């Protein structure tokens, strides 16, 4: 074998290939890095959304637990007999024992304060009775929670304490006499300093706003009593009065709170640092209160994007390396192939010199094969011509029955047209319109019959596919129904033909038309002629059975029934059943004659699709 050397013209295409690989690597690396970064950004943001929703739900659950623990206190204390006795006693009676009880209860439940107010708004007992800031003797009749509890039986109100100056939620419950007359109100003040500290320690700023958008509870102290949106002067004045706030309160938060239900990214300053947060909001058990949570977002998203881009670039680089190795191997393989090709050409030249006769014989054999292919093609064309001739022969016999079938709707159309004219003369347009509608239906019926006749007569190439058996039967009966009715043949349908088979619809219709036409001819002159079409299913096959109660097939003809030019009719060619069996075999099925005592029974077996 000769050694092959590369010239500059040989190396030039390989240099271009390497340049293409390098350019493709750079483009793919950039595109993959961008695409992976965006996908990672979406995934990281979706994960932040899920974490923010879960964290917000957890914060809301903690708040709900804290509130539910304290909401039971006013209800229980409203039924305490000692408290009812104190409120029913004259104002001069001291409430020391009740204050001691409230003091112990506040210590156990960690309530900020528990106190009893009589019907005049005067405090009779309080859990802080020992402190300089004791509520005992103070007048709280002006406080909204007292007014609402006396009127409605219970009240909840968030405000600053008039004595302590600390914010809290006031839970009030009215105490009634046995006859229903109000004695006073039990008040439990709940402060959320410990809860806010826990939220602050989590590193995720959280705040709770009331229905007016005022921040009540928050882990960021400077956000308390600020608003999610600017308030008009009237709402601002009412809120300042209700919650005893200073005029400098109720300023908007230093960022815009999103309004949608879905979490979204916001830019907010926390502890003097501006950064991006994932905002989530969930409703709480307190009517109108909404908990908002800010989860750190920028670092996680950017880290995910950076990692994804680096990984994508690495993968593309590895793929580029693999492509480079494969390209190098391809170059080496092509070099070896070129050398082998030259050696093969040399070997073929030497073999060609000594094998001319073998080539000539091979050429003669190829010519014979080509002639056989042409003969096979001619045979297929002849078979198609025979199929078309059979269809046209059957068409001539069908025309008379189709003409008979059309005569009836034509006569009916004439009658309905005359009826419509009479009705129009009588000024009865509704009935005339009905007669015209019946004319349209009869015209559609004639169109269906003639369309089936046209399709049946058309020469078409076989297109084997999925065919609904009921459609083929319906098309065949549309062409042969007139012949059956003319001969008084009773048609009996058995079995469900709603099954799809492997066939060519028009050729399958031709087979059914041929079988039905043969049966109709065999039944001429018979008493009570009957034709039965029966469909049965067996595993992956379906059997179409066409049987009649005619004279049947003579035993001498049975053995050669599917042989060309064998027929029992004087004017028959003996090709119809041969063509039908050939067509069914082309569908991958079988056509057979079953021995029966009465009449003839043909069975076409087809494959279910």
């Amino acid at each position: 074998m000769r050694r092959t050397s590369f010239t500059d013209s040989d190396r030039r295409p390989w240099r271009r290939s390497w340049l293409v690989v390098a350019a493709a690597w750079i483009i793919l690396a950039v595109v993959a890095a961008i695409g992976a970064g965006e996908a990672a950004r979406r995934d990281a943001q979706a994960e932040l959304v899920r974490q923010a929703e879960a964290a917000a739900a957890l914060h809301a659950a903690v708040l709900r637990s804290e509130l539910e623990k304290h909401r039971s206190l006013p209800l229980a204390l409203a039924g305490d007999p000692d408290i009812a006795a104190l409120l029913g006693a004259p104002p001069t009676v001291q409430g020391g024992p009740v204050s001691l009880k409230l003091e112990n209860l506040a210590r156990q439940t960690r309530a900020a304060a528990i106190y009893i107010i009589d019907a005049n708004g005067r405090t009779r007992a309080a859990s802080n009775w020992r402190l300089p800031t004791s509520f005992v003797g103070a007048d709280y009749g002006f406080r909204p929670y007292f007014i609402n509890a006396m009127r409605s039986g219970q009240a909840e109100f968030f405000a600053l304490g008039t004595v302590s100056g600390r914010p809290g939620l006031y839970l009030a419950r009215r105490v009634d006499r046995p006859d229903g007359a109000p004695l006073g109100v039990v008040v439990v003040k709940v402060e959320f300093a410990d809860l806010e500290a826990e939220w602050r320690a989590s590193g995720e700023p959280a705040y709770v706003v009331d229905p007016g958008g005022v921040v009540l509870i928050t882990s960021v102290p400077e956000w308390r009593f600020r608003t999610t949106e600017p308030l008009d002067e009237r709402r601002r004045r009412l809120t300042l009065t209700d919650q005893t706030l200073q005029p400098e309160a109720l300023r908007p938060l230093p960022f815009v709170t999103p309004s949608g239900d879905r979490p979204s990214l916001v830019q907010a300053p926390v502890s003097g640092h501006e950064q991006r947060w994932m905002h989530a909001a969930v409703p709480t058990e307190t009517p109108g209160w909404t908990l908002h949570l800010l989860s750190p977002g920028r670092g996680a998203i950017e880290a995910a994007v950076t990692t994804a881009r680096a990984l994508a670039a690495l993968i593309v680089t590895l793929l580029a390396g693999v492509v480079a190795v494969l390209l190098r191997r391809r170059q080496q393989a092509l070099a070896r192939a070129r050398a082998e090709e030259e050696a093969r050409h040399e070997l073929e030249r030497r073999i060609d010199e000594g094998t001319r006769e073998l080539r000539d014989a091979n050429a003669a054999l190829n010519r014979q094969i080509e002639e056989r292919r042409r003969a096979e093609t001619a045979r297929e064309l002849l078979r198609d011509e025979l199929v078309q001739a059979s269809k046209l022969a059957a068409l001539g016999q069908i025309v008379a029955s189709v003409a008979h079938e059309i005569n009836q709707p034509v006569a009916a159309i004439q009658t309905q047209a005359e009826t419509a004219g009479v009705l129009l003369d009588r000024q009865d347009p509704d009935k005339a319109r009905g007669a015209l509608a019946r004319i349209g239906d009869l015209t559609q019926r004639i169109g269906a019959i003639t369309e089936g006749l046209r399709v049946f007569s058309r020469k078409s190439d076989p297109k084997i596919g999925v065919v609904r058996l009921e459609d083929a039967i319906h098309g065949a009966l549309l062409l042969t129904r007139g012949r059956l009715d003319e001969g008084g043949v009773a048609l009996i349908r058995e079995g469900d033909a709603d099954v799809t088979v492997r066939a060519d619809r028009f050729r399958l219709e031709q087979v059914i038309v041929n079988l039905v036409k043969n049966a109709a001819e065999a039944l001429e002159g018979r008493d009570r002629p009957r034709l039965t079409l029966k469909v049965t299913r067996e595993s992956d096959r379906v059997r179409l059975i066409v049987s009649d109660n005619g004279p049947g097939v003579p035993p001498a003809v049975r053995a050669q029934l599917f042989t060309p030019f064998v027929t029992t009719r004087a004017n028959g060619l003996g090709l119809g059943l041969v063509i039908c069996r050939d067509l069914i075999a082309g569908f991958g099925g079988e056509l057979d004659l079953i021995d029966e005592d009465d009449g003839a029974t043909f069975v076409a077996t087809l494959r279910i699709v």
Side-chain angles (χ1 to χ4, degrees):
M1 182 179 296
R2 294 180 300 173
R3 173 170 287 181
T4 303
S5 60
F6 285 99
T7 64
D8 290 340
S9 60
D10 295 327
R11 294 189 180 93
R12 197 172 295 118
W14 300 118
R15 292 172 182 169
R16 286 199 295 268
S17 299
W18 285 110
L19 290 176
V20 170
V21 170
W25 167 66
I26 294 173
I27 295 173
L28 287 177
V30 173
V31 172
I34 294 174
E38 292 304 314
R41 187 187 305 277
R42 289 193 299 270
D43 293 342
Q45 189 165 330
E47 179 63 19
L48 280 176
V49 167
R50 187 191 64 79
Q51 293 177 359
E53 289 177 338
L58 179 61
H59 282 60
V62 173
L63 177 62
R64 181 174 61 253
S65 175
E66 186 75 12
L67 291 176
E68 287 177 352
K69 178 180 67 177
H70 290 93
R71 280 196 177 104
S72 60
L73 286 177
L75 179 63
L77 293 175
D80 190 300
D82 295 339
I83 294 175
L86 176 63
L87 291 174
T92 57
V93 176
Q94 299 295 319
V98 175
S99 295
L100 181 60
K101 178 188 292 188
L102 297 179
E103 180 183 17
N104 294 330
L105 185 60
R107 186 183 307 110
Q108 296 170 3
T109 61
R110 294 192 300 178
I114 306 175
Y115 49 103
I116 311 299
I117 306 174
D118 62 18
N120 296 320
R122 185 71 58 182
T123 304
R124 302 291 298 276
S127 60
N128 60 358
W129 65 293
R130 299 178 189 271
L131 301 177
T133 58
S134 172
F135 295 168
V136 177
D139 183 5
Y140 291 122
F142 65 95
R143 297 288 271 180
Y145 58 82
F146 173 78
I147 297 171
N148 292 335
M150 288 294 290
R151 181 175 60 248
S152 304
Q154 60 181 355
E156 293 186 3
F157 187 72
F158 192 96
L160 291 173
T162 56
V163 176
S164 65
R166 294 193 301 269
L169 178 64
Y170 293 85
L171 307 174
R173 188 85 180 187
R174 189 177 65 201
V175 180
D176 296 330
R177 295 179 186 272
D179 59 0
L183 288 172
V185 174
V186 177
V187 182
V188 176
K189 182 183 180 184
V190 182
E191 295 180 358
F192 301 94
D194 293 339
L195 179 63
E196 291 174 339
E198 292 179 8
W199 290 355
R200 195 176 302 113
S202 68
E204 296 178 328
Y207 57 99
V208 178
V209 301
D210 66 5
V214 179
V215 178
L216 304 179
I217 306 169
T218 175
S219 61
V220 183
E222 56 267 26
W223 291 358
R224 183 174 286 109
F225 294 121
R226 300 185 74 169
T227 61
T228 56
E229 59 183 15
L231 301 180
D232 56 36
E233 189 58 31
R234 178 178 172 276
R235 289 177 57 194
R236 178 182 174 86
R237 201 165 43 248
L238 289 175
T239 306
L240 288 173
T241 302
D242 289 344
Q243 299 195 0
T244 62
L245 302 177
Q246 297 299 320
E248 61 270 13
L250 303 181
R251 288 177 298 139
L253 287 169
F255 60 92
V256 178
T257 300
S259 58
D261 295 334
R262 292 287 300 165
S264 58
L265 291 171
V266 298
Q267 195 81 14
V270 178
S271 301
H273 300 288
E274 184 88 10
Q275 65 182 49
R276 297 179 69 186
W277 305 84
M278 180 61 70
H279 169 270
V282 294
T284 67
E285 291 295 324
T286 300
W289 282 18
T290 304
L291 186 142
H292 298 259
L293 180 73
L294 301 180
S295 297
R298 181 173 180 82
I301 294 176
E302 295 305 323
V305 170
T306 302
T307 302
R309 287 177 176 173
L311 184 60
L314 178 61
I315 292 174
V316 172
T317 302
L318 291 175
L319 291 176
V322 172
V323 171
V325 171
L326 294 177
L327 182 60
R328 178 59 180 167
R329 289 184 178 180
R330 184 171 179 273
Q331 292 175 354
Q332 295 174 348
L334 287 176
R336 289 193 299 268
R338 180 177 296 178
E340 292 173 357
E341 183 71 14
E342 293 178 355
R344 186 176 64 82
H345 284 314
E346 178 65 21
L347 180 61
E348 287 179 353
R349 186 185 63 77
R350 294 178 181 178
I351 294 174
D352 185 65
E353 293 176 353
T355 59
R356 292 180 183 273
E357 294 181 0
L358 181 60
R359 284 204 312 277
D360 294 341
N362 186 41
L365 180 60
N366 288 334
R367 286 194 297 271
Q368 293 178 4
I369 292 174
E370 185 63 27
E371 290 176 358
R372 290 202 174 192
R373 287 177 179 171
R374 286 197 294 270
E376 181 67 20
T377 303
R379 190 186 71 83
E380 292 294 330
L381 292 175
L382 179 59
R383 190 188 69 173
D384 290 342
E385 293 296 333
L386 287 175
V387 170
Q388 182 66 13
S390 176
K391 290 171 66 176
L392 294 177
L395 186 64
Q397 301 177 11
I398 292 172
V399 166
S401 61
V402 170
H404 176 74
E405 186 75 12
I406 292 176
N407 281 338
Q408 295 178 355
V410 168
I413 287 173
Q414 181 178 359
T415 302
Q416 293 296 331
E418 294 173 354
T419 302
V422 172
L423 292 172
L424 289 174
D425 293 339
R426 294 178 182 177
Q427 301 298 320
D428 192 350
D430 293 336
K431 292 184 178 180
R433 193 175 294 109
L436 292 175
R438 288 190 288 275
I439 290 175
D441 295 339
L442 291 169
T443 304
Q444 290 180 0
R445 179 181 175 187
I446 293 174
I449 294 172
T450 56
E451 176 64 17
L453 190 63
R454 184 187 66 80
V455 171
F456 179 78
S457 63
R458 184 178 60 195
K459 182 178 180 181
S460 60
D461 296 331
K463 297 179 180 178
I464 298 178
V466 179
V467 178
R468 186 168 172 262
L469 183 56
E470 179 60 32
D471 294 339
I473 295 174
H474 177 75
L477 292 180
L478 189 65
L479 298 174
T480 57
R481 172 68 72 175
R483 177 66 180 275
L484 297 177
D485 293 343
E486 183 181 356
V489 179
L491 177 62
I492 301 173
R493 294 287 305 275
E494 297 181 6
D496 183 11
D498 189 12
V499 60
T500 55
V501 297
R502 181 179 181 272
D504 174 76
R505 174 175 173 177
F506 300 120
R507 297 201 169 194
L508 181 57
E509 284 184 8
Q510 180 182 352
V511 172
I512 300 173
V513 166
N514 199 307
L515 295 178
V516 172
K517 181 173 65 66
N518 288 347
E521 292 176 354
L523 291 171
E524 290 180 357
R526 300 289 293 183
D527 184 27
R528 295 182 181 178
R530 182 182 69 253
L531 174 63
T532 302
L533 293 180
K534 183 177 181 181
V535 179
T536 62
R537 297 181 63 170
E538 297 178 0
S539 183
D540 61 341
R541 301 275 176 167
V542 61
R543 302 173 73 218
L544 172 61
I545 304 171
V546 182
S547 60
D548 60 66
N549 61 344
V553 181
V557 181
R558 284 180 181 270
Q560 300 179 349
L561 185 61
F562 294 100
T563 303
F565 309 112
V566 174
T567 180
T568 60
R569 301 200 309 271
N571 59 348
L573 295 176
L575 294 176
L577 290 177
V578 176
I579 294 174
C580 289
R581 189 176 215 182
D582 192 20
L583 292 177
I584 294 296
F587 305 154
E590 299 175 355
L591 177 63
D592 295 308
L593 173 67
I594 298 179
D595 293 333
E596 295 286 351
D597 296 335
D598 183 19
T601 301
F602 288 89
V603 179
T605 304
L606 299 168
R607 290 172 53 191
I608 297 177
V609 181

